[in-house]
Amino acid sequence: MKFCSECAYPVVLQIPEGDNRPRYVCAQCETIHYHNPKLVVGSIPVWDEDGRIRVLLCKRAIEPRHGFWTLPAGFMENNETTAEAAVRETEEEAGADIEIGELFSLLNVAQVHQVHLFYLARLRSLDFKAGIESLDVQLFAEHEIPWEDLAFPTIRKTLELFFADCVQIKESGAGFGFHTHDITHPMRIASLPKDS
Ligand code: ZN
């Protein structure tokens, strides 16, 4: 940042007294401007037809990653809960009505100052359509997922974890787990090794 959002005076980067890292500090009103990670929240909208699991993905109509596929997700707003954010983003991007379930994945993307959260969700109907930020919205079975055309590593990781849990559930009858993962190469998207 260049200017103080309180008084419009230029800011300087310095370590405030009692702190241990540089902050933007206003030289006039002395406001310290803290920059902290943002939450990106989304859902895994599932359509289960007698055990044939399909997941709803959106093709992005906006940068970054225009034309690539993503789970419905976006920046959390003030005055909403994480679950409300997931429902809102799913409605906005996919025109889909979901019943929100348990939190499924938490992914740290420390290098870009973000934390991504994805909730399990059940589609209430097949009535969905691309919102203004999407070019297309479609259901995909695991073998139909456009793995090489996914928008972000957090989407790929969450889908891998989701379908791995589906296999476990079929084999052992266990439920979905909660998964945490750190993305260490946020810009490496296509040709990502399956386990990174
Ligand atoms: Zn100021």
Side-chain angles (χ1 to χ4, degrees), residues 4-9 26-31 33:
C4 177
S5 54
E6 298 295 315
C7 74
Y9 200 83
C26 178
Q28 178 163 269
C29 76
E30 297 181 352
T31 297
H33 297 276

Side-chain angles (χ1 to χ4, degrees), residues 46 54 60 79 94 106 118 176 186-187:
V46 173
R54 285 185 294 166
R60 289 171 64 83
N79 301 310
L106 182 158
F118 289 91
F176 284 102
M187 297 309 153

